Structures are given as structure tokens and as C-alpha cells.
Amino acid sequence: MGTDSLSATILSVLFLSLVAPCMATVSVNRTIDDQRGDNVTGAVPLYSPVGKWNIGQTCTLCAIRAGDIIDLAQVFDGTWHDTTYYGIDDTERVIEVNFTGHAVYVYNIVVNIIIPADVTTFSNITFHLDGDFVAYYTHVPTNSNSTVPAVSYNKLVYSNDSLDQEQHTLQIVSSGDTKVLTLFDYIIYSTFEEEAQPSPSYLSHSSQPAETSPSPTRLGDPQNSTHASSTGIIAGGAVGGAVVIFVAACLFYVCHIRRTRCNWQRANTTLSRPGTERHTKLPEGGQKFFSRPDPLCPTRSTRTDSVRGIVRTPTGK
């Protein structure tokens, strides 16, 4: 490729880098409902063993029922899953969900009243992320009083906001030596998305509305916020600056090569008689780097003696 073509290519890259849109990384929250599943992908949780889970809001045989103890209006989307694990001789109850993100939050309904007879409201849950045990949650009911409600809705039982942005498998396991009640409501996970932002050099900036979850608003919870990632913005600026520096360096290099080539050509070119080509003097053992003179390099002026038919080189007068 010639130096002119290289210069044109570099200028084109510089132009495109200035007008191309910047990609800003944005963290958005998505919800996995116990029954309806992921509000974006549609993936639903897997419950095992089959036949050991009840749909809470329609279960008429469950001791913890809608209307009697549970206020349906305070449950996310009006749905939850109910199961009771009956002790060490029973089979563990497992909820499995898959998501791609960098943070996850699990919400249950927790009952704080002691119900007579053969009904438990004790909770004992373990959490396993990508095959590894990561946390546990235990709730011992103490009956309601002025400070503890009979039922806690949107109860955060597990959170992890330091995950790598990749696909994860979360298992929520109810087990132990005694009876355990689990009322699973929903999961929120945070994931990064790339959002095109117009370049401020030629377009005005416009903000997008934040994604929010329809769950009840609670101060400090993740489901009602969308976070712009400053990391993505800083990275975009760093990349843009690196491109400009690289292009400037390339232009400097091209100009330096052109200048060196022209100086070398002027210093090593002699003129012969009319009708012959321009010859390049080479040092002994040297290599000829330029096969032909560069037409863009200015050369020493010449004049033709029409009488004698020879070409003379000015002597500096």
C-alpha cells in the first residue's frame, strides 16, 4: 500500500471513530416470578421433586392460605409456591433457576406466627450457586408483636452482588432435621446491557426511561432502579482517546517516512543526458529501497540547453 493510500485509510478511521456511537454499559434489573418466570427470557423456575410443590394462591389444602393468613395484595404478582419438607427422612425440596447477570436477590414470604397442631412456619434454606454452597437462611417464628409482623412479604433471604457477568445456576434447597416451610415468591437479578448513546460531537444526548419492577417499592432494594455503569463510560472514553493517539502516531510516522524518503532521493539522485532515466546513487554494498523516484517529492530545478541538447544542474546561483 502506498503512503497516500495509507494516509487516506488512517484519516477515514479517525473520522469514523469521531462519528461512531459510543456504547454505554447499563445495568438493568429483571424479575423471575415463581409462576410466570423471567420477565424477559420467559424461563421459569424448576421445582423438585415433582408433586411436592403447591401453587400458593390457589391451594385450598395448605395451612398457609390466601385470605386467612396471606394478604394476596402484598404478594408479588399475586403468586407464590408453597412446600413443606418433613424432616430427615423426606426428600429435599429444590428450586432451580438459570440467569445471566452480575447480581441476584431472592425473596420469600416469611410467617412469624406459631400455628398449633402439625403446621410448621420454621424456615431453613440453603443456597448453591453454580454447584457450590454459598449461603443459608433460617427463620424461627416467635409469634407476632408490636415490632414483628405476623407475615413478612418481600423478605430478602439471599443476595449476592459480586458475581461475574455470565450465566449462573442458582439452587434454593429446603432441608434439615426438622420440618421446614418454604413460601417462594420471586427473584431479581441484575445484568449488563449495551445501550447505544449518540456521539456528543454531533448529536444531542437523550436519556432513556429506567426499567422498573412492578413489585412494591422498598428503600434500598434493587428492583426499582436502573444503574448506568460508570465503568462502561470510562472505558469508552479511554478507548476513544487511545484511537486518537494511535491515529496521530500513524500520521506522524507517515509524514516522517515521506520526509525521509524525499531527503534521501534529493541527496542520491543525478541527472543524465536527455532521453535517459534518472539514476540513483547507492553506497557500496547498499540496497535500493526505492525502485522509482517519488513524483510528490520536489527535486532540484533543471533547464534544457536547446543548442547543445544537454541538461544542466544549477550551481546555486
Side-chain angles (χ1 to χ4, degrees):
M1 179 183 293
T3 53
D4 292 334
S5 299
L6 180 59
S7 300
T9 302
I10 293 175
L11 289 174
S12 298
V13 171
L14 177 60
F15 174 77
L16 291 175
S17 67
L18 292 176
V19 302
C22 299
M23 299 305 293
T25 302
V26 176
S27 179
V28 297
N29 293 322
R30 297 176 179 177
T31 304
I32 303 176
D33 181 60
D34 72 289
Q35 186 172 345
R36 296 177 175 85
D38 194 308
N39 67 325
V40 175
T41 68
V44 296
L46 302 177
Y47 299 92
S48 63
V50 176
K52 298 295 184 179
W53 290 84
N54 301 300
I55 298 177
Q57 70 275 12
T58 59
C59 182
T60 57
L61 299 178
C62 298
I64 310 298
R65 293 189 297 270
D68 293 341
I69 298 177
I70 303 297
D71 181 0
L72 199 60
Q74 297 194 58
V75 180
F76 180 81
D77 264 358
T79 68
W80 74 93
H81 267 64
D82 175 306
T83 190
T84 299
Y85 167 80
Y86 287 95
I88 195 168
D89 294 328
D90 198 2
T91 304
E92 293 179 339
R93 306 297 195 260
V94 180
I95 307 169
E96 182 174 306
V97 294
N98 294 285
F99 65 95
T100 299
H102 59 89
V104 64
Y105 310 87
V106 180
Y107 295 89
N108 279 9
I109 302 170
V110 174
V111 180
N112 196 53
I113 56 177
I114 300 174
I115 302 176
D118 193 30
V119 177
T120 184
T121 54
F122 171 74
S123 294
N124 185 54
I125 310 169
T126 58
F127 301 89
H128 305 260
L129 188 67
D130 300 328
D132 297 324
F133 167 78
V134 290
Y136 71 91
Y137 173 82
T138 300
H139 170 73
V140 179
T142 58
N143 274 334
S144 60
N145 53 47
S146 58
T147 59
V148 180
V151 180
S152 296
Y153 301 93
N154 306 299
K155 181 68 174 181
L156 181 64
V157 295
Y158 173 67
S159 66
N160 191 332
D161 58 4
S162 59
L163 304 177
D164 292 331
Q165 174 68 22
E166 60 186 19
Q167 184 172 359
H168 299 283
T169 298
L170 177 66
Q171 289 184 321
I172 306 168
V173 182
S174 300
S175 61
D177 297 333
T178 60
K179 294 172 63 176
V180 173
L181 173 69
T182 300
L183 305 177
F184 169 63
D185 198 358
Y186 63 98
I187 292 174
I188 288 177
Y189 68 95
S190 302
T191 187
F192 287 125
E193 292 181 350
E194 285 189 344
E195 183 179 59
Q197 299 291 336
S199 174
S201 61
Y202 68 103
L203 290 177
S204 60
H205 177 79
S206 61
S207 59
Q208 281 200 276
E211 280 190 22
T212 58
S213 169
S215 59
T217 302
R218 297 186 307 280
L219 182 62
D221 281 352
Q223 66 266 35
N224 293 291
S225 61
T226 300
H227 309 284
S229 172
S230 59
T231 302
I233 297 174
I234 294 173
V239 171
V243 169
V244 172
I245 293 173
F246 172 76
V247 171
C250 289
L251 290 175
F252 175 79
Y253 176 76
V254 170
C255 293
H256 176 71
I257 290 298
R258 171 60 60 80
R259 187 180 301 109
T260 302
R261 178 174 178 174
C262 291
N263 291 339
W264 186 91
Q265 182 174 308
R266 293 193 194 101
N268 295 277
T269 301
T270 60
L271 300 177
S272 64
R273 292 181 179 277
T276 62
E277 294 183 351
R278 194 180 299 246
H279 296 279
T280 302
K281 298 187 298 183
L282 296 174
E284 293 183 4
Q287 296 181 355
K288 186 175 181 180
F289 294 97
F290 308 112
S291 60
R292 65 180 64 180
D294 190 340
L296 296 180
C297 292
T299 59
R300 292 172 293 182
S301 62
T302 62
R303 63 182 178 86
T304 303
D305 190 325
S306 60
V307 177
R308 299 186 180 184
I310 61 174
V311 177
R312 296 178 178 176
T313 302
T315 60
K317 295 182 179 181

